[in-house]
Amino acid sequence: MGTVRRILRLVPVLAVICGVLCLVVATGSGARAASGLDTAAAALREGPVYVDPRARDVLSQAEADTLAGRIEKADRPVFVAVLPDTAEFPAATLLQDLRTKVGITGVYAVALGDRFDAGADPAVMSRDSVENLAGAVRRSDPGDPAAMVTGFVDQALPQTGGHAPASWGDGSVGVGTGGGTGVLVALGLLVLVGGGGAVLVSRRAKRRREEQDRARLDELRPVVDEDITAFGEELSRIGFDPGGATADDAMREDYTRALDAYDTAKTAMDRAHAPGDVRQVSQALEEGRFALATLEARIEGGPLPERRPPCFFDPRHGPSVQDVPWTPDGGGAERTVPVCAADAARLEDGLEPMARQVDTPRGPRPYWEAGPAYAPWAQGYFGGGMLPGILVGTLLGGSLGGPYAYGGAPPDDQGGDYSGADFDPGDFGGGLGGGFGDGGGFGDGGGFGGN
């Protein structure tokens, strides 16, 4: 036993020795073997923006710091690399290779010389969204890589799901500029492992994730609380007396279901710790509103309602009564959505539906234009099957195209996680098949290798 203790006491010392040896080796032939892409990838694991020293005339240090600050404040996994147009960075495979070497799910924006393109994992942004955004900035600022990069980031941040990677730490290292970053990181990791630092890193990452969850939940809370309050008012309005002379067992059963749903929604919201927990609230409210609609039909002696999804435009309207064609403002394909009787009549008269408005940085907007933060809330009402079809082309719809959109975690919690090289290049939006060399991007001759 004493021998084991002596060995354990030597572990930190051995780790430091190994770190020093690695530093000596790396500063010799090993450092010379590192490629520019390896350096860029190592820097992006530590911060959101990397500017190759040979491309500092494209994006200055001050501009890079400002851009990194915006990304870190938004807490989104958006990675930016500004690189020289040299043979060291092959255009045809640049996006795919950079994503592979960084190994973190996210949105990747790359300026190569005076050209620009971007790619994204579908868990954080749909392929259509990233291609449209990249194409838009190329057409707006052709030949101006700094403007294309900053313009893309400004538009992409509100539409990106997920969270910033824990490896970015507290934001003290935001911009990489090349040099010995990879060596210092390797040495630091060895020392941390030897001294028990890995545990501290894990705890810090856990605390950071909890803080992010609380912030996103606070963003959703006003909308969810409004839903719960509105349902409570509906319960009071109907004024059902279970002991009344006209009450029967079926009515009492409906009323009990509605009350239980109300209590479940309130309890679930009180216990919620992360945005994904909100789905339980909206699921309970959807169940309760159908029970209430059934009770009201029994009281009035009318036909019982069909079990349908809630009104798309505002789930507080209750169960839908029919499906109607609808096209979002600003264009997009026509799609069929479930609506309540009041919204169906308004659409038939050529009026705008009574859409649910939520607060956004651009002011009150319909919830489907508010982005991925509202995905768990919408999933609880509409389930996972119909949402992609009715939300395609909207900001919220862009966050629902990934493979985890309706799984154990909501889209807002998927980006920023380490996945290594485990991703499908064909699904990595941007370019054509994840590359730039064949005129990728939006199909307009843009992207690396186009023009």
Side-chain angles (χ1 to χ4, degrees):
M1 195 68 179
T3 302
V4 172
R5 289 195 185 97
R6 285 193 293 273
I7 293 174
L8 290 176
R9 281 197 295 268
L10 287 174
V11 168
V13 177
L14 293 174
V16 173
I17 294 173
C18 289
V20 172
L21 290 175
C22 288
L23 180 61
V24 171
V25 173
T27 52
S29 60
R32 289 192 297 272
S35 71
L37 197 59
D38 290 327
T39 302
L44 289 176
R45 285 193 292 271
E46 297 300 309
V49 179
Y50 170 76
V51 181
D52 188 285
R54 294 163 293 178
R56 286 174 184 160
D57 59 325
V58 174
L59 200 67
S60 70
Q61 186 69 42
E63 291 171 328
D65 289 340
T66 300
L67 189 62
R70 287 208 298 272
I71 296 171
E72 290 174 342
K73 183 178 180 180
D75 188 31
R76 295 304 186 203
V78 176
F79 302 83
V80 175
V82 180
L83 309 172
D85 190 359
T86 67
E88 192 175 4
F89 302 105
T93 59
L94 179 54
L95 259 186
Q96 180 179 338
D97 291 345
L98 182 63
R99 165 63 178 85
T100 300
K101 289 179 177 291
V102 175
I104 300 175
T105 302
V107 177
Y108 289 74
V110 180
L112 183 66
D114 61 356
R115 293 174 289 171
F116 173 83
D117 214 330
D121 291 276
V124 297
M125 182 179 289
S126 71
R127 184 181 182 87
D128 287 343
S129 293
V130 70
E131 288 182 351
N132 289 345
L133 288 178
V137 298
R138 281 197 298 263
R139 290 187 292 274
S140 297
D141 300 289
D144 187 345
M148 288 188 282
V149 165
T150 55
F152 177 87
V153 170
D154 287 343
Q155 296 181 63
L157 284 175
Q159 304 183 46
T160 302
H163 51 81
S167 61
W168 287 359
D170 58 5
S172 59
V173 182
V175 181
T177 55
T181 304
V183 173
L184 294 177
V185 170
L187 176 60
L189 287 176
L190 284 169
V191 175
L192 283 173
V193 171
V199 176
L200 297 178
V201 170
S202 175
R203 289 176 179 173
R204 186 179 69 174
K206 181 180 178 181
R207 286 196 302 269
R208 189 168 185 268
R209 175 67 65 86
E210 290 173 348
E211 291 171 359
Q212 293 166 351
D213 285 342
R214 284 194 294 271
R216 297 189 188 101
L217 183 61
D218 287 343
E219 183 179 355
L220 277 173
R221 191 177 299 278
V223 173
V224 182
D225 287 344
E226 288 173 5
D227 283 7
I228 295 173
T229 300
F231 183 60
E233 292 171 350
E234 285 293 303
L235 276 169
S236 300
R237 178 191 62 78
I238 202 169
F240 176 69
D241 180 8
T246 59
D248 59 26
D249 289 343
M251 293 179 185
R252 281 187 283 269
E253 184 178 342
D254 291 333
Y255 188 63
T256 299
R257 284 169 50 213
L259 286 176
D260 289 345
Y262 184 51
D263 290 339
T264 298
K266 291 191 296 182
T267 301
M269 196 58 198
D270 288 341
R271 295 176 177 175
H273 297 291
D277 298 334
V278 167
R279 282 179 293 180
Q280 301 174 37
V281 180
S282 44
Q283 284 171 353
L285 292 175
E286 191 274 331
E287 174 69 26
R289 284 196 174 93
F290 179 74
L292 208 56
T294 304
L295 172 60
E296 195 163 17
R298 294 187 196 278
I299 293 173
E300 296 175 354
L304 299 183
E306 176 187 357
R307 187 60 189 266
R308 291 178 51 87
C311 178
F312 167 74
F313 296 112
D314 189 341
R316 294 176 300 179
H317 296 169
S320 60
V321 297
Q322 67 182 93
D323 297 329
V324 299
W326 171 74
T327 302
D329 288 340
E334 183 182 273
R335 76 286 315 272
T336 300
V337 297
V339 300
C340 64
D343 279 330
R346 291 179 66 84
L347 288 171
E348 188 174 355
D349 293 338
L351 302 175
E352 288 296 317
M354 295 180 288
R356 178 67 181 276
Q357 302 286 313
V358 298
D359 290 332
T360 74
R362 298 166 293 152
R365 304 293 297 171
Y367 73 86
W368 57 85
E369 295 182 8
Y374 292 88
W377 172 82
Q379 288 168 13
Y381 279 123
F382 299 102
M386 65 183 300
L387 269 180
I390 62 179
L391 290 174
V392 65
T394 67
L395 289 183
L396 178 55
S399 70
L400 300 174
Y404 307 105
Y406 307 103
D412 198 42
D413 293 336
Q414 292 304 321
D417 293 328
Y418 185 77
S419 66
D422 185 15
F423 72 103
D424 184 349
D427 289 336
F428 189 68
L432 295 176
F436 298 79
D438 47 9
F442 197 56
D444 56 355
F448 300 162
N451 296 329

